Amino acid sequence: MTLGPVEEELAKARAAYRNRGRWGEGDVLGTLNFVDDAIRAHAASLVRRGRTFSLAGRTDRSGARAATRWQGLGHGHDTGQALHGACTGRGVLLDVGRAVGDARGELPDGFAILEEHLRDTVEAQGATSSVRRGDLVLVRTGQPGRVRRLGAGDASGAGDAPGLSFTTLGWLHRTEIAAVAADTWSLEVRPHEFAEPVSSPMHRIAIAHMGLPLGEMWDLEALAADCAADGVYEFLLVAAPLPVTGAAGAPVNPIAVK
């Protein structure tokens, strides 16, 4: 899919998906405002077995590019707001790799995940993966598993990758989810869907204008295998970033509890 002129599409998206000012000029939570006490209490009630999964990838000498992270409201795309941590609530795994990918449950590099793929994944997984207001949505592409298996490529900071299409911004806005994270280095598809060069078009809208935190480099393999085994794709997710003053993003060790 190739979208229209970059500036035209960005302008339309800014107008359609703008949340800036929705919660007041001093707000530092963005869409995390959708998570209230009732949602967190319900998320805690989802714990049945007490099984925990760390969703953090390994951080080593390669530095921050290999770190599981949140990109927050101060990421640098048209905003001066800073990251704030309140990321605890109902986590939902959308295992798009297994639902619409190959026999190994993987999407090829450059695969643009469309809204229809997200809907198909929810339908395939069943009721526990229904997406609700205030959810913390995790999207699995399977790319890191392929990189580890083949020992080739770079899933930590460069190159092509499967990911969310720019066109899914409407779904992200309409569902009023609190945050979204994926197992790739950029969350959005690479290369981008524009004929013209552009840097992180989805980030520009989701972070700066929608106020939606984006998670990158999350290790979803063990959690995905467990969800596929028991058919339950919802869980308590605790994923607060480090409280670094003035940070545009921060590393995190997300913990899913089922």
Side-chain angles (χ1 to χ4, degrees), residues 35-178:
V35 186
D36 58 23
D37 290 348
I39 287 175
R40 283 185 285 268
H42 171 70
S45 75
L46 297 176
V47 177
R48 296 288 188 268
R49 293 183 287 141
R51 180 76 184 276
T52 62
F53 301 85
S54 169
L55 310 182
R58 184 173 59 191
T59 302
D60 50 31
R61 291 181 181 178
S62 61
R65 294 176 70 187
T68 299
R69 58 192 177 248
W70 283 119
Q71 300 287 15
L73 305 189
H75 187 51
H77 299 287
D78 307 319
T79 180
Q81 292 173 290
L83 184 75
H84 190 284
C87 304
T88 298
R90 178 181 181 253
V92 179
L93 176 69
L94 299 186
D95 193 345
V96 184
R98 274 188 174 84
V100 303
D102 62 19
R104 292 182 180 271
E106 299 168 359
L107 301 176
D109 290 341
F111 184 96
I113 298 172
L114 306 175
E115 180 175 337
E116 66 189 73
H117 298 132
L118 298 175
R119 292 198 305 265
D120 289 347
T121 299
V122 171
E123 182 176 356
Q125 293 180 173
T128 61
S129 62
S130 62
V131 176
R132 308 169 187 169
R133 186 177 193 263
D135 282 346
L136 308 169
V137 176
L138 311 183
V139 178
R140 179 187 172 274
T141 70
Q143 189 208 36
R146 179 172 66 252
V147 170
R148 287 194 291 264
R149 186 178 71 255
L150 299 179
D154 181 8
S156 65
D160 296 346
L164 292 178
S165 166
F166 184 84
T167 62
T168 60
L169 284 167
W171 184 88
L172 296 171
H173 185 260
R174 187 172 63 253
T175 53
E176 296 189 333
I177 62 171

Side-chain angles (χ1 to χ4, degrees), residues 159-199:
D160 296 346
L164 292 178
S165 166
F166 184 84
T167 62
T168 60
L169 284 167
W171 184 88
L172 296 171
H173 185 260
R174 187 172 63 253
T175 53
E176 296 189 333
I177 62 171
V180 61
D183 55 0
T184 62
W185 68 274
S186 182
L187 183 134
E188 58 184 297
V189 64
R190 297 294 181 107
H192 301 307
E193 302 149 287
F194 295 94
E196 307 163 63
V198 57
S199 175

Side-chain angles (χ1 to χ4, degrees), residues 43-44 46-55 220-230 232 234-238 254-258:
L46 297 176
V47 177
R48 296 288 188 268
R49 293 183 287 141
R51 180 76 184 276
T52 62
F53 301 85
S54 169
L55 310 182
L220 304 177
E221 293 304 292
L223 174 64
D226 189 82
C227 290
D230 72 0
V232 177
E234 60 181 352
F235 38 84
L236 170 66
L237 180 63
V238 181
I255 303 296
V257 190
K258 294 186 67 178

